[in-house]
């Protein structure tokens, strides 16, 4: 059984993002980019399932600019077998990515699609759910444990009241949460091996998908700066501040 894993190239989580002066978006010029952390967890989980013998092949997919090849090579260094880049300079929104993944799923016929629950740049948390709806596949989001057996997936997911375990018939879509696993450290020999692995490049037109944006970003602005905290002498002073200044009680 094959697994298709979607990965996104985002601004590295250690980088403090800055808004462009014209407020049209975030400045990514000369900024370190890396794989979305939730997607890295998805790649690690797929590789672990392959190492257990329940998957035969792990295919990683990224949609975006040419530089996304670096992200795919990183995923292949973790242990994925081959990569697919859907190359476009268009701004990709969750619905467009879900349509591209559906087209690739029809082409590759995987038994499982795994992706991070959300990207740390737009925080949409939509692509996995949209893909499941478009493909009419069962889905399990925010997975903290995944087991495959007898043509089914047992997924433990985190909900407000605790943990919930779902049994899904395959093929299915799973989105990963932080507590699913700890991604392995990528070694230099594996990075060198990844350079020789197969990487196919498609255009959205090749897959028959229109990726034109449906939503327009009007303005991007930084959150207001927080004022410094103060110390109060006693509870009465605290209540007074909360009531008359903060006006929260």
């Amino acid at each position: 059984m094959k697994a298709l894993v979607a990965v996104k190239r985002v601004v590295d989580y250690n980088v403090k993002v800055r808004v462009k002066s014209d407020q049209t978006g975030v400045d990514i010029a000369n900024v370190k980019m890396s794989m979305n952390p939730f997607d890295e967890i998805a790649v690690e989980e797929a590789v672990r399932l392959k190492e257990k013998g329940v998957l035969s092949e792990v295919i990683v997919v990224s949609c975006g600019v040419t530089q996304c090849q670096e992200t795919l090579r990183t995923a292949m260094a973790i242990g994925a077998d081959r990569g697919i880049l859907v190359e476009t300079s268009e701004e990709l929104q969750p619905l467009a990515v879900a349509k591209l993944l559906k087209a690739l799923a029809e082409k590759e016929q995987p038994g499982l699609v795994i992706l991070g629950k959300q990207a740390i740049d737009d925080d949409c948390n939509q692509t996995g759910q949209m893909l499941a709806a478009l493909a009419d596949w069962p889905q399990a989001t925010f997975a903290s444990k995944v087991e495959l057996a007898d043509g089914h997936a047992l997924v433990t997911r985190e909900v407000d009241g605790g943990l919930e375990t779902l049994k899904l018939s395959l093929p299915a879509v799973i989105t990963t949460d932080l507590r699913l696993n700890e991604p392995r450290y990528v070694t230099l020999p594996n990075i060198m091996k990844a350079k020789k692995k197969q990487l196919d490049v498609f255009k959205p037109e090749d897959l028959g998908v229109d990726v034109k944006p449906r939503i327009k970003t009007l303005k991007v602005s930084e959150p207001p700066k927080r004022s410094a905290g103060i110390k109060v002498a006693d509870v009465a002073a605290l209540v007074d501040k909360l009531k008359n200044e903060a006006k929260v009680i």
Side-chain angles (χ1 to χ4, degrees):
M1 183 172 68
K2 293 192 285 190
L4 198 67
V5 185
V7 297
K8 186 176 183 181
R9 178 176 180 263
V10 299
V11 175
D12 189 87
Y13 67 92
N14 286 313
V15 174
K16 178 174 171 51
V17 295
R18 302 188 183 280
V19 175
K20 292 179 182 177
S21 56
D22 60 1
Q23 296 188 315
T24 56
V26 172
D27 187 5
I28 59 171
N30 303 314
V31 171
K32 183 185 177 185
M33 308 291 282
S34 62
M35 189 190 306
N36 179 47
F38 291 105
D39 296 340
E40 197 172 356
I41 291 167
V43 175
E44 174 67 27
E45 190 63 24
V47 171
R48 289 187 187 187
L49 290 170
K50 187 192 171 190
E51 289 170 347
K52 289 178 183 176
V54 293
L55 291 178
S56 58
E57 186 179 27
V58 177
I59 308 159
V60 284
V61 181
S62 191
C63 307
V65 294
T66 308
Q67 291 88 331
C68 290
Q69 290 190 26
E70 300 166 14
T71 309
L72 290 170
R73 293 293 179 195
T74 301
M76 287 189 274
I78 292 173
D81 298 292
R82 59 187 171 96
I84 298 174
L85 170 63
V86 182
E87 189 177 352
T88 176
S89 57
E90 193 78 69
E91 178 199 348
L92 291 175
Q93 293 171 350
L95 180 59
V97 177
K99 288 180 177 178
L100 291 170
L101 292 176
K102 176 179 179 284
L104 288 171
E106 290 172 351
K107 180 181 174 65
E108 295 289 345
Q109 294 294 308
L112 191 65
V113 177
I114 312 178
L115 58 165
K117 70 170 184 176
Q118 65 195 78
I120 61 171
D121 53 0
D122 57 19
D123 271 338
C124 281
N125 180 20
Q126 295 174 348
T127 306
Q129 293 90 324
M130 287 178 170
L131 171 60
L134 290 170
D136 196 23
W137 286 1
Q139 62 173 312
T141 56
F142 317 132
S144 59
K145 185 179 179 183
V146 176
E147 295 176 327
L148 298 182
D150 303 323
H152 291 85
L154 279 177
V155 180
T156 302
R157 60 188 299 267
E158 297 184 357
V159 294
D160 291 341
L163 298 176
E164 176 182 71
T165 302
L166 301 177
K167 184 177 182 181
L168 312 176
S169 57
L170 299 178
V173 177
I174 296 174
T175 71
T176 61
D177 208 343
L178 279 175
R179 279 162 287 282
L180 179 58
N181 62 52
E182 182 74 33
R184 69 194 69 188
Y185 178 75
V186 179
T187 61
L188 183 59
N190 286 336
I191 292 172
M192 301 307 291
K193 288 177 187 175
K195 291 182 178 180
K196 297 179 181 178
K197 290 184 179 180
Q198 180 183 344
L199 199 162
D200 300 316
V201 180
F202 296 99
K203 299 285 186 185
E205 309 86 71
D206 301 334
L207 302 171
V209 177
D210 176 17
V211 295
K212 187 177 178 182
R214 264 62 173 181
I215 301 170
K216 182 179 180 181
T217 302
L218 300 179
K219 186 175 77 168
V220 176
S221 58
E222 291 188 11
K225 287 186 168 50
R226 295 176 63 180
S227 56
I230 60 169
K231 289 184 178 180
V232 293
D234 50 33
V235 175
L238 173 62
V239 172
D240 180 66
K241 293 281 186 187
L242 292 173
K243 188 173 184 179
N244 299 315
E245 289 187 22
K247 297 189 186 301
V248 293
I249 59 173

